[in-house]
Amino acid sequence: MHLPLEGQFHLPQFLASATEPAEREGARLRGGLPSGGLPSRRMACGEGVAGAADSRPTEAARTPSSWGPLLWILVFGAIVRLAVWGLFAGADEQIVDAQDYDRLAVGLVETGSYVTPAGNLSSLRPPLYPWCVSIGYRLFGIQNFEAIRLGQAALSLLTVVIVFRIGALAFSERVGLLGAAAYCFYPSALGFNNLILSETLFTFLVTLSVWLVAEAIARESLGWLLTAGLVLGLGALVRSILWLFAPALAVLLLFLCTGTVAKRLAMSAGMLVAFAITISPWAYRNTQVQKTLTLIDVMGGRNVMMGNYEHTPLERSWATIELVQGDRSWISVLRAEHGSLQGLTQGQIDKLAMRHGVRYMVEHPGVTLQRSLVRGFNFWQLDRTLIAGMQSGFWGQVSKPVFLLIAIMIVGYYAALAFAALFGIVFAQPRDWRFHILLLANIGFPWLVHSAIFAHSRYHLPVMPLACLYLAVAFVSLVRIQAERPRWRLWLACGLCAVLCLAWGRELWMVDLAQMSSRL
């Protein structure tokens, strides 16, 4: 892979650029920056704040002091992934989304086009993930799920390496290693590697884009931002939420980049142009097929409406399509409002649904706020997708003791990670606060968007690599957390954890127990 940065980019430099010894980092932070380093906040903003570390590769920075520990993390991670992969061997895909991706991939192999089972051109799903699955089918046989799962397991190991690089760049080598280890053995990610779902690929692309933007900020490099725009475009072709994030990131870059206004505009615009070029062929194809502007897919409008119309349930709004049927369904409401929808493309129907949903949100701000608050907590709910799948027998029969052990491990790991990440966010002391802002933007943006539409615990998986870095920050800062005075930040972190616990308890009481009672 080649990235434009004053010449060629090579994997050894990628791995080694974060491996300068910790004592040299400390000396650099205490003594200021060498010539050509990352600008301090004084240089960037005109204020005196302790400087940021030099992120440009130097001879000292190429000393692989952390390669050994990272290599061991990857080795053990590969062993664990192979073991989990073996547990899923021979299992069919029972999840509806996975079955859709499989059908699209089979259609690509057999016809070379994205088609529905009836043979019509489809824009229902973003194209990149089914295309990747179809490549696996061509190489290893149609519906060879084991090959796809093994490839996703390998891709998740690359995500671990990138997590290390982000942590070393934004905080320290120690944070990078701890964050990489935390994500490497995150149970839900290990499980989702073995599902024919887009989470693993999307998580890799999101994490890669964060690293590229961080490097671009550190190096003041347009080339790295152009590459980040390309990767963001690929990410949008996996999950359409990223086409909303790209313009927001472009605005944020105006404040995160340094230099003259013209330079900041050029770097921001360059990233956005690279993003637009990446998605434009698919957007052109979709627009021709759907006879209306359709950038990525035709799901956005109906998702907005299903999460925001007169019959949207307050709880589990992500399941509106299953919970609300008949005359109250979103498509029936559209037919009642506009008459027969016959002759309209799916894209045109999606536009009608978008208008209906947005209009309802504007006309009912109180209801929208209440729903958004519930969905905001739904986004951070306990990891239970895999647990529900095991309980339903999706991957074969599991004994009760084994089921309980796996469930406790999945839920407990996520809960501990979430609590520690909140402490890390509150107590973070990055090399440069621009890195902190970048990480929080990548966590906060999807949270806010899903809060406005509908949210499921599965949707937080792509930001968990960044949460693992904040977990690492909390562990590295334990002594400082205990000793800090005044203790307002400690109380703030504890309060956020308490709010999260209350949200989890509310979900168990209001939703899970209510469902159990209705079945008795």
Side-chain angles (χ1 to χ4, degrees):
M1 178 176 68
H2 297 278
L3 298 179
L5 176 63
E6 301 174 359
Q8 292 186 338
F9 171 88
H10 301 286
L11 183 60
Q13 295 177 0
F14 159 52
L15 295 173
S17 59
T19 57
E20 189 167 1
E23 59 271 17
R24 187 177 295 274
E25 294 175 11
R28 222 177 27 233
L29 289 171
R30 289 191 298 271
L33 293 172
S35 177
L38 177 68
S40 70
R41 295 293 290 177
R42 181 192 301 274
M43 297 169 61
C45 304
E47 298 176 1
V49 179
D54 180 12
S55 64
R56 295 178 185 271
T58 64
E59 290 303 317
R62 294 189 180 111
T63 304
S65 60
S66 293
W67 171 244
L70 179 61
L71 182 60
W72 280 112
I73 291 171
L74 295 174
V75 168
F76 283 112
I79 293 172
V80 171
R81 279 160 175 76
L82 283 173
V84 176
W85 174 74
L87 296 176
F88 282 82
D92 291 328
E93 286 300 327
Q94 304 291 332
I95 299 174
V96 172
D97 288 353
Q99 294 171 349
D100 283 347
Y101 285 129
D102 173 59
R103 280 194 292 266
L104 285 171
V106 171
L108 280 168
V109 174
E110 294 178 346
T111 70
S113 299
Y114 293 87
V115 294
T116 66
N120 301 318
L121 292 176
S122 174
S123 305
L124 192 64
R125 302 252 180 203
L128 187 56
Y129 182 69
W131 181 82
C132 291
V133 174
S134 74
I135 296 299
Y137 286 176
R138 286 190 176 97
L139 293 174
F140 304 105
I142 289 181
Q143 293 187 322
N144 188 334
F145 298 146
E146 281 74 17
I148 304 303
R149 291 164 180 160
L150 195 59
Q152 292 184 161
L155 187 63
S156 72
L157 286 176
L158 288 180
T159 304
V160 171
V161 178
I162 299 169
V163 170
F164 163 73
R165 185 63 189 98
I166 297 172
L169 177 63
F171 299 100
S172 68
E173 280 187 2
R174 190 180 177 196
V175 167
L177 284 171
L178 288 173
Y183 184 70
C184 187
F185 303 104
Y186 175 39
S188 290
L190 294 173
F192 270 85
N193 289 341
N194 294 279
L195 304 180
I196 309 302
L197 295 171
S198 62
E199 268 73 11
T200 300
L201 177 60
F202 187 63
T203 300
F204 168 76
L205 292 172
V206 168
T207 310
L208 179 59
S209 71
V210 172
W211 170 62
L212 291 169
V213 173
E215 288 283 7
I217 292 171
R219 299 166 184 262
E220 303 177 23
S221 168
L222 176 60
W224 285 74
L225 273 181
L226 291 175
T227 310
L230 185 151
V231 171
L232 277 172
L234 294 177
L237 294 175
V238 177
R239 290 271 189 89
S240 55
I241 189 174
L242 277 190
W243 85 258
L244 297 172
F245 181 62
L249 177 61
V251 174
L252 185 62
L253 286 172
L254 295 175
F255 300 93
L256 298 184
C257 295
T258 59
T260 63
V261 172
K263 180 181 178 182
R264 296 183 186 197
L265 285 171
M267 294 183 73
S268 175
M271 184 280 298
L272 204 54
V273 168
F275 171 85
I277 291 173
T278 304
I279 69 170
S280 59
W282 179 253
Y284 176 80
R285 176 262 189 196
N286 278 351
T287 299
Q288 295 298 307
V289 170
Q290 302 300 330
K291 300 179 182 178
T292 185
L293 180 62
T294 306
L295 297 182
I296 305 296
D297 57 33
V298 294
M299 292 294 292
R302 62 197 69 195
N303 286 342
V304 169
M305 180 174 171
M306 282 190 286
N308 297 279
Y309 79 121
E310 47 268 41
H311 303 304
T312 300
L314 180 62
E315 309 293 345
R316 302 180 72 226
S317 61
W318 50 268
T320 297
I321 196 168
E322 301 170 6
L323 299 175
V324 183
Q325 301 284 332
D327 294 339
R328 293 156 55 93
S329 68
W330 72 276
I331 192 68
S332 296
V333 171
L334 276 188
R335 289 196 183 104
E337 182 179 355
H338 297 282
S340 174
L341 302 178
Q342 188 173 2
L344 297 181
T345 66
Q346 288 296 315
Q348 291 167 336
I349 293 173
D350 198 61
K351 291 291 190 295
L352 295 177
M354 175 70 77
R355 295 191 194 102
H356 187 102
V358 172
R359 184 173 66 249
Y360 185 89
M361 294 169 72
V362 172
E363 293 175 354
H364 302 83
V367 174
T368 300
L369 180 62
Q370 182 186 21
R371 289 173 175 173
S372 297
L373 185 62
V374 171
R375 287 188 292 247
F377 287 117
N378 289 161
F379 185 87
W380 297 111
Q381 278 302 320
L382 296 167
D383 286 351
R384 295 182 295 174
T385 302
L386 295 172
I387 297 171
M390 286 191 301
Q391 195 172 29
S392 300
F394 283 0
W395 308 293
Q397 295 302 314
V398 179
S399 67
K400 181 172 282 188
V402 172
F403 172 79
L404 290 174
L405 179 63
I406 294 175
I408 291 171
M409 181 176 62
I410 291 174
V411 172
Y413 196 103
Y414 172 72
L417 196 165
F419 292 151
L422 287 172
F423 272 82
I425 290 171
V426 172
F427 285 91
Q429 288 187 339
R431 298 176 187 270
D432 189 294
W433 284 98
R434 292 176 296 169
F435 293 140
H436 192 35
I437 293 170
L438 175 66
L439 297 182
L440 292 181
N442 277 272
I443 294 173
F445 185 87
W447 177 34
L448 293 176
V449 171
H450 282 296
S451 297
I453 303 172
F454 59 77
H456 186 273
S457 61
R458 170 181 157 192
Y459 301 152
H460 68 232
L461 290 174
V463 303
M464 294 314 289
L466 306 183
C468 286
L469 287 175
Y470 282 112
L471 172 147
V473 169
F475 274 93
V476 169
S477 306
L478 276 177
V479 174
R480 181 167 58 85
I481 290 173
Q482 294 172 354
E484 180 167 310
R485 298 292 188 279
R487 304 182 73 86
W488 67 267
R489 286 204 289 187
L490 177 62
W491 289 113
L492 174 60
C494 290
L496 292 173
C497 291
V499 170
L500 196 56
C501 280
L502 289 174
W504 294 341
R506 177 192 177 279
E507 179 80 4
L508 291 171
W509 180 264
M510 299 288 293
V511 179
D512 296 332
L513 290 180
Q515 284 186 324
M516 292 172 61
S517 299
S518 65
R519 293 172 184 170
L520 295 178

